[in-house]
Amino acid sequence: MPEKVPKAIKRVNKQDLVGLSSKSERLNLGRGREPGWLDQQLADDATGSLRAILLEHPPKPCYRCLVLIKRADQEVEHFLLDVLLEDFDRLEDIAGEALLTFTRWALSRIPLSPLPAE
């Protein structure tokens, strides 16, 4: 069992997330969005990212992951999802130019609050 959270950022699409959320539901793991909601709200061609942020143990070892993906209304949806270690490892890494392009897209859609003048 790994002691640390992997640094890899994984590529996910709508079908991946619906499947992972369904599995989390069956295994009583944490999921920020229900499979039916994901199926209705995410763009059919949506590609997003999944990044492990925490190693969890009960009821099964899993990574608590942060998901960023495009909704059907073109806004960014972000939520947490628990993913089994082997399912996380099977997903494709986002790296290099693809990671830079995805990061620019996500940052361009996240609203920023202005800082106080002080």
Side-chain angles (χ1 to χ4, degrees):
M1 159 116 31
E3 293 291 321
K4 295 182 181 178
V5 187
K7 293 182 181 185
I9 299 174
K10 301 294 189 166
R11 181 184 320 273
V12 289
N13 60 35
K14 178 179 178 175
Q15 292 76 27
D16 294 329
L17 289 177
V18 170
L20 290 170
S21 181
S22 295
K23 191 171 199 176
S24 290
E25 186 174 49
R26 282 192 314 276
L27 298 173
N28 293 316
L29 302 175
R31 62 197 180 288
R33 299 291 181 265
E34 299 292 328
W37 187 94
L38 292 169
D39 192 45
Q40 291 177 0
Q41 299 297 321
L42 297 182
D44 289 335
D45 64 344
T47 299
S49 69
L50 186 138
R51 182 174 60 95
I53 58 174
L54 202 65
L55 179 60
E56 292 287 345
H57 295 285
K60 287 189 165 232
C62 61
Y63 294 123
R64 175 132 320 139
C65 298
L66 177 62
V67 176
L68 292 171
I69 194 160
K70 179 176 66 172
R71 292 190 319 230
D73 64 5
Q74 305 302 309
E75 294 297 319
V76 174
E77 186 66 26
H78 53 92
F79 58 95
L80 297 174
L81 177 66
D82 288 352
V83 176
L84 295 179
L85 281 54
E86 59 270 17
D87 291 336
F88 182 89
D89 291 341
R90 278 194 280 269
L91 295 168
E92 176 188 356
D93 289 356
I94 303 176
E97 190 64 34
L99 179 58
L100 184 59
T101 300
F102 179 79
T103 302
R104 286 180 177 148
W105 169 81
L107 287 173
S108 73
R109 289 180 169 60
I110 296 172
L112 300 176
S113 300
L115 294 173
E118 301 166 6

